Amino acid sequence: MGFADLSIDDIAAEYNLSVETVYSLCDQLNVGYKDQQTNLALEDAKAVISLILSQQSGLNIQTQDSSLKKNL
């Protein structure tokens, strides 16, 4: 398995999240890490980013639903 050139710190910065949030996502996915400078394995980085994007997508849908209900 190759390593991505992405650390936990990089992912947090890219997606405007706290390092603690990325730690929590890693824990949910059973992704091992030592500290925020840990470079993740490629598949692990993809899994974490996929989870971030799916959660952000869910938030966008909920926000849109709330906006629609206010306008009705």
Side-chain angles (χ1 to χ4, degrees):
M1 181 184 318
F3 280 83
D5 195 19
L6 289 173
S7 68
I8 289 173
D9 200 32
D10 293 334
I11 293 171
E14 179 71 25
Y15 293 96
N16 198 27
L17 300 170
S18 69
V19 169
E20 290 76 20
T21 298
V22 180
Y23 285 158
S24 176
L25 296 173
C26 288
D27 292 341
Q28 288 177 41
L29 296 168
N30 294 318
V31 171
Y33 59 89
K34 185 174 182 179
D35 58 30
Q36 66 192 48
Q37 299 304 318
T38 301
N39 280 341
L40 299 179
L42 182 59
E43 292 302 316
D44 290 341
K46 287 168 51 177
V48 170
I49 291 168
S50 178
L51 185 55
I52 291 167
L53 294 175
S54 70
Q55 289 179 350
Q56 287 179 344
S57 176
L59 289 175
N60 288 340
I61 291 170
Q62 290 174 356
T63 301
Q64 290 172 356
D65 286 347
S66 295
S67 295
L68 287 174
K69 288 177 184 176
K70 287 179 185 176
N71 291 331
L72 293 176

